[in-house]
Amino acid sequence: MLLGIPVKPFPSYRAAKPPPRQAYKRAHKQAHKEVTMSTATVTCPLCEATCGLQVSLDGHRITSVRGDDKDVFSAGFICPKGASLKALHEDPDRLQQPLVKRNGVFEPVTWDEAFAEIERRLPPLIAEHGKNSVAVYAGNPTSHNLGALLYGRVFYKALGTQNMYTAGTVDQIPKHFSSGYLFGEPLTIPIPDLDRTNHLLLLGANPLVSNGSLMTAPDARGRLKGIRERGGKIIVIDPRRTRTAELADEHHAIRPGTDALLLAAMVAVLFDEGRVSLGRLAEHVNGLDDLRACTAPFTPEAVSANVGIAADDIRRMARELAAADRAAVYGRIGTTAQAFGTLASWLVDVLNVLTGNLDRAGGAMFPLAAAGQTNAQPGRNRGFIHGRWRSRVRDLPEVMGELPVATLADEILTPGEGQVRALVTIGGNPCLSTPNADRLTEAVQQLDFMVSLDVYLNETSRHADVILPGPPPLARAHYDVVFYQLAVRNVANWTPAVLESDLPQEWQTLLRLVDVVTGQGADADVATLDAFVAGEVARRAGLDVALAGDRTGPERLLDLMLRAGPYDITLADLEAEPHGVDFGPLQPRIPDVLGTPSGRIELAPDAIMADLPRLTAELEHPPNGQLLLIGRRQLSSNNSWMHNLAPLVRGGNRCTAQMHPADASRLGLVDGALAVVRSRAGAVTVPVEITDAVRLGVVSIPHGWGHDVAGTRTSVASAHAGVNSNVLADQLLLDGLSGTAVLNGIPIEVEPAG
Ligand SMILES: Nc1nc2c(c(=O)[nH]1)N[C@H]1C(S)=C(S)[C@@H](COP(=O)(O)OP(=O)(O)OC[C@H]3O[C@@H](n4cnc5c(=O)[nH]c(N)nc54)[C@H](O)[C@@H]3O)O[C@H]1N2
Ligand SMILES: Nc1nc2c(c(=O)[nH]1)N[C@H]1C(S)=C(S)[C@@H](COP(=O)(O)OP(=O)(O)OC[C@H]3O[C@@H](n4cnc5c(=O)[nH]c(N)nc54)[C@H](O)[C@@H]3O)O[C@H]1N2
Ligand code: SF4
Ligand SMILES: [Mo]
């Protein structure tokens, strides 16, 4: 299965526990006779950067993981997480068998036994209480897993529940919302053309650490440095002086949650000073006058105290943006997972439009991916709507078919018609990653039934009745259907499975679940259902399914998607190019890319304007000295789930509360001392790290920690526990429009512990 290198099949990779040394050596020797040393070329599936990696193998043993110098996109870049794919593959805590909880204790079982248990408990529950009684939570890794992505959708459809939740409502849904209404489709997201821009205004993003998000750009550092090397300018807006801020020309420590005010003021300056210059966009835009009118009150002087940036600086930033020949405004999670996430996301692109930078080289552009590009078919002017249904307890609108995860606990805990009684998690750890984590943890214990598709027995899956593990990254084929739609170049790269696994692929597990919930029974032939799914994909693309030959599963679907795509390419073509195929820099796509009913960019859509009164009201509330909590991503973390790998938790405790020296001394806190951090939702006790990198009045705690709970099987993570910052996130604080949780700008109190 190694790319381009003919090798005999590997012996089955069977390792419930790490095999005893002797046995391992024997197996290894045996393998050595059959297979030589070899190298496989893969795409790292751990984050959005899609780096190409070279995995060296000695038989079925991984000897090293390095960046692939020949990768058309990443050119050798690798980060500590990619390098730890070996550790992940070999982690003895990673689940190798399904687990079923009996009398409160997990027992390893066969796949048939696991499915028998699901069949015994799930369909009767649906029959009695209806499909909405089952909730799904799909986590971040499902977007990075081809099988889970493509076949997860089949499962959600088969289940038909309105109680669909994902990590999106603790992440990027505001951007989908604003893009949906501005451009007509939620995935029509403008991406900063990093390699050609000469001016980048970057808000609430730290790509030097996160490696880029809603901006697939391997080696973000190199690409950002490139901007400065060609004489361009980078401005970072962030309450914390991040690594990205350190690399930039200018950094402004904004007050958390006020980006919409800042951006509205920049818009107001452009109108006021006659600097709006739409260029070729002029004939593709609606709503300019409404936009001018509604942003007029937000002068730099009016917002300055709230935003914490001088009015002169705001005015100058607007002028520089307008004057730059190729500029892009880009905002990420600091601008989405906050109180005005949708307004901020909207205003980011409003600025790109008003300065004529949308859809031009060096501005903010629309990628055209080889497969699955949602906005590539002409004649799709249906527009976007949200709120097609609402959550039962808090009456929150659906966005893109999902409800805010901040209200999942309400749906479980509140009795009545439509109450959630069962939960399926797929690659998600909501007990660590979503608001009021303590309350959700309490809620999931009251479920009648819970299934987790997960690779670990962790803070969330410990509450499941059945855990179904999937194979590790190097034992599954991969292609980034989602992230190539958000990439700074149009590229495509296919990865076959490099190593074998005894675990079924997750697409097979998901199809088996489909058979269970649709009444076919867990023993139904998955291949039949898979053929049906492929037939549907082919039919919708107007293709003959036979074109994909004897491929099955995600490979067949991807082959069909590539054939239906814009580049006249097949999976076989990608198989022949282990370092990827480069289709070149992004190209202008307006007007074809627009899917609004008017066929134009809707600069002032009602659905977004509806939230402006709330922003206006902010002007009446100058800062009151309240401490505000923000997050902090860390290079060696991947949200909550890679802390079980020793190479990624080396060094001291990273889970600290960073605070400004003046705040610390006012509160009587010294560096390293324990502090109690309290919000309306909960409290944690955490060591203080005093640093002037954070703004006065701001405290930063990373999320994804808090591994010191009973009943998990993550020995390394448990020994490097940290605290769960989402105990502090308040389930009642949401971005008004999108239902996305406020994870940045949570009001808190801090005091010395004990
Ligand atoms: N306070 C605060 N909270 C945040 C954030 C923040 O900035 N601040 N960020 C938010 C964001 S952006 C996100 S995306 C979410 C992430 O939230 P989640 O997606 O809920 O959390 P992860 O930590 O990514 O957990 C992924 C889970 O998937 C499992 N897993 C890993 N690989 C696989 C696989 O191949 N198959 C399966 N089935 N399971 C797998 C892991 O063991 C883990 O249990 O967290 C959010 N939470
Ligand atoms: N190493 C690593 N990489 C990751 C992840 C990880 O956990 N670790 N997670 C992945 C995921 S799921 C995602 S979604 C991406 C996220 O990618 P990014 O958004 O680039 O990630 P962050 O580092 O959280 O950057 C957010 C920044 O916003 C700042 N901020 C907080 N509040 C505000 C505010 O109100 N306004 C402004 N302007 N800034 C604010 C924070 O200080 C922080 O520097 O990263 C991905 N990459
Ligand atoms: S930056 Fe992301 S894709 Fe690249 S090696 Fe690191 S985790 Fe993998
Ligand atoms: Mo995320």
Side-chain angles (χ1 to χ4, degrees), residues 408-429:
L408 174 56
D410 302 316
E411 295 295 330
I412 299 172
L413 292 170
T414 313
E417 178 81 28
Q419 181 181 6
V420 167
R421 292 162 192 272
L423 174 66
V424 182
T425 67
I426 306 179
N429 195 3

Side-chain angles (χ1 to χ4, degrees), residues 19-277:
R21 257 210 133 64
Q22 268 323 97
Y24 191 84
K25 269 195 177 150
R26 227 180 299 126
H28 177 199
K29 252 190 180 160
Q30 179 100 26
H32 213 83
K33 280 192 208 142
E34 297 169 22
V35 230
T36 50
M37 310 276 270
S38 56
T39 307
T41 309
V42 304
T43 304
C44 175
L46 293 172
C47 90
E48 299 180 38
T50 73
C51 299
L53 304 180
Q54 290 276 322
V55 181
S56 300
L57 297 150
D58 182 352
H60 63 235
R61 200 173 63 85
I62 303 162
T63 53
S64 76
V65 179
R66 292 185 313 274
D68 174 17
D69 294 336
K70 294 194 196 132
D71 186 276
V72 295
F73 200 18
S74 61
F77 183 81
I78 185 171
C79 85
K81 294 195 302 288
S84 71
L85 278 171
K86 172 178 157 68
L88 176 58
H89 198 87
E90 294 168 355
D91 185 354
D93 284 339
R94 204 169 43 70
L95 299 178
Q96 301 289 349
Q97 237 181 310
L99 301 176
V100 168
K101 199 184 275 164
R102 294 200 173 113
N103 303 318
V105 181
F106 277 115
E107 294 174 10
V109 295
T110 65
W111 283 88
D112 285 342
E113 287 168 322
F115 272 99
E117 180 70 2
I118 298 171
E119 193 154 27
R120 188 172 73 80
R121 297 179 65 180
L122 193 57
L125 216 139
I126 299 173
E128 188 180 344
H129 301 288
K131 48 196 183 181
N132 289 343
S133 66
V134 185
V136 173
Y137 174 82
N140 172 275
T142 57
S143 317
H144 297 269
N145 179 323
L146 183 65
L149 181 81
L150 297 180
Y151 289 83
R153 292 176 192 174
V154 182
F155 174 62
Y156 313 147
K157 189 129 201 237
L159 198 57
T161 178
Q162 293 187 338
N163 275 303
M164 181 72 211
Y165 303 84
T166 80
T169 52
V170 280
D171 189 349
Q172 83 291 351
I173 292 290
K175 195 73 203 177
H176 293 306
F177 191 109
S178 70
S179 291
Y181 283 105
L182 274 164
F183 309 119
E185 254 178 80
L187 257 159
T188 303
I189 296 175
I191 307 302
D193 186 6
L194 279 196
D195 297 341
R196 293 182 289 182
T197 195
N198 290 331
H199 186 98
L200 181 66
L201 175 63
L202 183 150
L203 305 100
N206 188 10
L208 261 65
V209 166
S210 70
N211 291 302
S213 180
L214 298 186
M215 178 181 81
T216 301
D219 189 18
R221 180 195 188 83
R223 291 174 202 269
L224 290 177
K225 276 168 84 180
I227 297 175
R228 299 200 59 197
E229 279 159 16
R230 56 182 177 267
K233 179 167 185 177
I234 302 173
I235 302 178
V236 169
I237 310 291
D238 195 307
R240 205 167 67 84
R241 193 173 62 244
T242 60
R243 289 195 198 183
T244 306
E246 274 163 5
L247 177 145
D249 296 84
E250 213 173 293
H251 167 225
H252 299 277
I254 191 171
R255 271 188 70 241
T258 63
D259 298 77
L261 289 172
L262 167 68
L263 295 164
M266 291 179 67
V267 170
V269 169
L270 296 182
F271 278 119
D272 186 47
E273 300 186 356
R275 294 179 196 270
V276 171
S277 164

Side-chain angles (χ1 to χ4, degrees), residues 95 99 118 423-428 430 450-456 458 460-469 506:
L95 299 178
L99 301 176
I118 298 171
L423 174 66
V424 182
T425 67
I426 306 179
M450 177 169 162
V451 180
S452 287
L453 274 67
D454 208 288
V455 294
Y456 284 108
N458 66 11
T460 298
S461 59
R462 72 186 165 129
H463 299 295
D465 298 288
V466 181
I467 307 180
L468 305 175
E506 287 191 275

Side-chain angles (χ1 to χ4, degrees), residues 643-644 649 651 653 705 707-709 712 714-722:
H643 294 146
N644 205 53
V649 287
N653 179 10
W705 298 91
H707 305 296
D708 55 345
V709 296
T712 58
T714 51
S715 50
V716 177
S718 300
H720 298 80

